Amino acid sequence: MQKLGDFKLPHFFNYPPYFTLQPVRETREKQVQLWKELILDYCRTQKIFVIGLEEEFPLFSNSVIERTLSHEAREAFLSALISEGRAEWLDKGHRRCLILWHRIQDWADIILNFVKDNGFEDSVMTVEEIRSGIESRGTELHGIDRTILMRALKLLEQKGKLAIFKGTSADDEGVKFSV
Amino acid sequence: MRRRPGIGGLQTAAAARDQYRLLGENVAKLRTDLMKEQLATFRSQLEEFARKHKNDIRKNPSFRSQFHEMCAKVGVDPLASNKGFWAELLGIGDFYYELGVQIVEICLATRPLNGGLIDLQELCKLLRQKRKHDREAVSEDDCLRAISKLKTLGSGFEVILAGKKKLVRSVPTELKKDHNEILELAYSTGYVTVDEVERRLTWTHGRAIDALDTLLDEGLAMIDDGHADGKHRYWFPCVSSISSFGADN
């Protein structure tokens, strides 16, 4: 099996027609399904949060069989993820796409567990600390995309689990947990 | 002999007919008895043989296939019933019913990928993977036998021929001769182009397009427009077995 780093690629990745958007509806549905799973799997294992449609992305082409996904195909696969709440466009031009292998709600739950595990129920942390502090090392929160983290924090704020307060710059936004 | 007139003559003739009939019946009876005896002997011999080679029949696929052939020649079908002597002796019925169920499972599971048409060799390979806990080997012949039993369920399982290759169809699509010829052509590379179909089969453009479009619609073909020469390629998952399509194979 072909590999990308330590990621095992599925068989269909080596089958040329999967790189062409299929015209027949049922065949296309199956094709889209396989690509959705592949994109989510890959992003989860490689900790990729944003895919740029016009940028190089290892899954968008396969040099072994000399096939590349067209822009239309890329957009179709990502749109399918979006319709399931597993991705979001970051811009109106559909050039950058946020990949949510955990939904925002799931990320919020992960944050809550992190808070409880570390006894931060009434503590104050900066957003940067959550992303790259010692406490989050080895957890899924380490290195999380800032946009996703802020969305999850805001969701928790709405539920009254924490309060976000602003510092003088974006770098020192803080969070006061009250779990 | 001069034919004598009167009632006596008629009676004699009737008596002679009776005698002939009786004799004839006797001869026929003797023959049937002899035949029955021979068949009984044969059957007991066959049973003895089966009992003696029970393990070979179970474990060795080619031995099994030859045993089936022998049974077919004398009109015995070991698979006809699961209650008969053969089933009890060999458990052979269960073996094929189990295979049948597993074949249905594989066909259903791969249908989204291959449109309901799978190469027999590929099916066997998947079947062996599925049964790897089992020590008993499974041959293509066994697959074909199990499939022929599935046919009686009317579920549309059928083996079709594309040239020398056998494909197992699990969808009710009726494949025409044109489609089979395209599949046969695709066997070497896994795909065909419209040009290739026209040239190799000496068809008109319309005929080629028509057949290929049908195969696309049925989910048996996938289109690939990514090759550098710009020609559309029609790929057939059922002949290139996408489950084994990878750099490691």
Side-chain angles (χ1 to χ4, degrees):
Chain A
M1 205 175 298
Q2 201 182 337
K3 283 187 174 181
L4 269 180
D6 55 357
F7 184 79
K8 267 190 185 175
L9 287 160
H11 290 298
F12 84 82
F13 195 71
N14 279 310
Y15 199 55
Y18 276 95
F19 280 80
T20 298
L21 210 49
Q22 291 303 304
V24 177
R25 192 175 56 85
E26 279 178 32
T27 317
R28 183 198 288 229
E29 278 170 9
K30 183 64 201 171
Q31 177 191 26
V32 169
Q33 181 62 32
L34 288 171
W35 274 102
K36 276 194 310 200
E37 288 164 14
L38 174 61
I39 293 170
L40 278 186
D41 264 3
Y42 184 74
C43 289
R44 178 173 28 235
T45 53
Q46 310 298 309
K47 292 214 158 210
I48 292 167
F49 294 90
V50 176
I51 295 178
L53 257 71
E54 280 148 22
E55 292 157 26
E56 287 278 315
F57 184 60
L59 293 182
F60 287 166
S61 50
N62 184 348
S63 55
V64 176
I65 55 167
E66 296 176 328
R67 291 294 183 278
T68 301
L69 284 178
S70 65
H71 189 273
E72 189 197 4
R74 296 173 192 196
E75 196 167 337
F77 300 151
L78 291 173
S79 297
L81 280 174
I82 287 169
S83 69
E84 283 182 6
R86 287 318 187 96
E88 279 171 30
W89 293 121
L90 287 169
D91 58 339
K92 278 185 188 159
H94 293 187
R95 283 195 199 86
R96 285 163 58 75
C97 188
L98 192 65
I99 306 297
L100 301 167
W101 65 82
H102 290 313
R103 293 187 172 85
I104 296 293
Q105 174 62 54
D106 298 333
W107 279 116
D109 291 341
I110 290 168
I111 295 171
L112 283 184
N113 285 332
F114 166 73
V115 169
K116 285 173 190 160
D117 288 348
N118 290 282
F120 291 154
E121 278 90 342
D122 296 303
S123 307
V124 174
M125 282 183 95
T126 67
V127 171
E128 269 315 303
E129 262 181 308
I130 301 176
R131 289 185 62 212
S132 51
I134 305 171
E135 289 81 5
S136 70
R137 211 164 280 168
T139 72
E140 286 192 282
L141 291 176
H142 194 78
I144 183 178
D145 178 77
R146 195 179 173 89
T147 316
I148 294 177
L149 179 59
M150 289 314 292
R151 295 271 302 280
L153 290 174
K154 275 177 187 138
L155 184 71
L156 288 171
E157 190 176 36
Q158 283 164 19
K159 291 184 175 176
K161 304 277 188 191
L162 54 81
I164 301 172
F165 53 89
K166 287 213 187 311
T168 46
S169 71
D171 289 348
D172 54 8
E173 271 177 308
V175 180
K176 166 86 173 76
F177 295 109
S178 50
V179 179
Chain B
M1 189 169 34
R2 197 178 72 89
R3 190 174 159 270
R4 280 177 297 176
I7 193 141
L10 288 175
Q11 275 167 346
T12 319
R17 258 202 313 278
D18 277 351
Q19 289 288 328
Y20 283 132
R21 205 188 64 232
L22 225 68
L23 192 66
E25 274 170 8
N26 273 338
V27 171
K29 193 171 173 299
L30 267 173
R31 278 198 188 147
T32 349
D33 285 350
L34 195 67
M35 194 70 104
K36 271 183 188 158
E37 204 178 305
Q38 277 176 348
L39 269 179
T41 320
F42 189 82
R43 196 186 136 95
S44 72
Q45 295 273 335
L46 194 62
E47 285 175 8
E48 200 182 313
F49 177 84
R51 204 173 277 132
K52 208 164 141 193
H53 297 282
K54 190 172 159 180
N55 280 337
D56 288 324
I57 292 171
R58 273 200 188 149
K59 300 238 167 73
N60 184 340
S62 66
F63 195 93
R64 185 159 58 230
S65 128
Q66 277 170 9
F67 176 72
H68 273 295
E69 218 169 278
M70 196 169 72
C71 288
K73 278 198 181 121
V74 296
V76 174
D77 183 1
L79 296 182
S81 152
N82 201 25
K83 291 215 176 69
F85 156 81
W86 297 101
E88 271 170 43
L89 179 66
L90 300 170
I92 212 167
D94 285 338
F95 171 72
Y96 284 103
Y97 296 133
E98 196 182 299
L99 273 194
V101 171
Q102 286 167 339
I103 287 172
V104 172
E105 281 172 1
I106 291 170
C107 287
L108 286 181
T110 57
R111 192 179 286 176
L113 295 174
N114 57 30
L117 203 57
I118 188 167
D119 180 64
L120 181 64
Q121 286 176 354
E122 173 74 5
L123 177 64
C124 278
K125 207 182 91 190
L126 295 173
L127 197 57
R128 283 184 206 118
Q129 279 170 14
K130 209 181 170 75
R131 302 171 56 89
K132 60 171 176 273
H133 60 282
D134 238 324
R135 276 169 302 137
E136 295 161 42
V138 179
S139 67
E140 284 182 20
D141 183 75
D142 291 327
C143 275
L144 290 175
R145 259 172 231 288
I147 291 163
S148 75
K149 293 292 143 185
L150 290 175
K151 231 177 185 171
T152 56
L153 297 174
S155 56
F157 272 81
E158 202 183 23
V159 178
I160 59 169
L161 286 171
K164 281 175 195 153
K165 294 281 191 170
K166 292 193 180 87
L167 290 163
V168 179
R169 183 174 66 83
S170 62
V171 282
T173 324
E174 197 68 52
L175 284 181
K176 298 203 183 70
K177 197 170 145 282
D178 279 10
H179 304 137
N180 283 0
E181 282 181 48
I182 289 178
L183 288 176
E184 192 182 342
L185 194 60
Y187 252 107
S188 54
T189 51
Y191 68 89
V192 297
T193 62
V194 178
D195 280 358
E196 209 180 345
V197 172
E198 286 174 35
R199 201 180 61 246
R200 298 272 299 274
L201 301 174
T202 54
W203 288 0
T204 61
H205 186 70
R207 184 175 173 187
I209 289 282
D210 195 49
L212 287 168
D213 277 352
T214 309
L215 288 165
L216 269 185
D217 285 342
E218 296 292 348
L220 295 173
M222 291 181 81
I223 205 157
D224 162 30
D225 57 16
H227 193 257
D229 68 9
K231 284 180 185 167
H232 285 318
R233 292 179 170 191
Y234 293 77
W235 290 80
F236 301 90
C238 57
V239 304
S240 42
S241 74
I242 107 146
S243 70
S244 53
F245 212 93
D248 58 337
N249 287 295

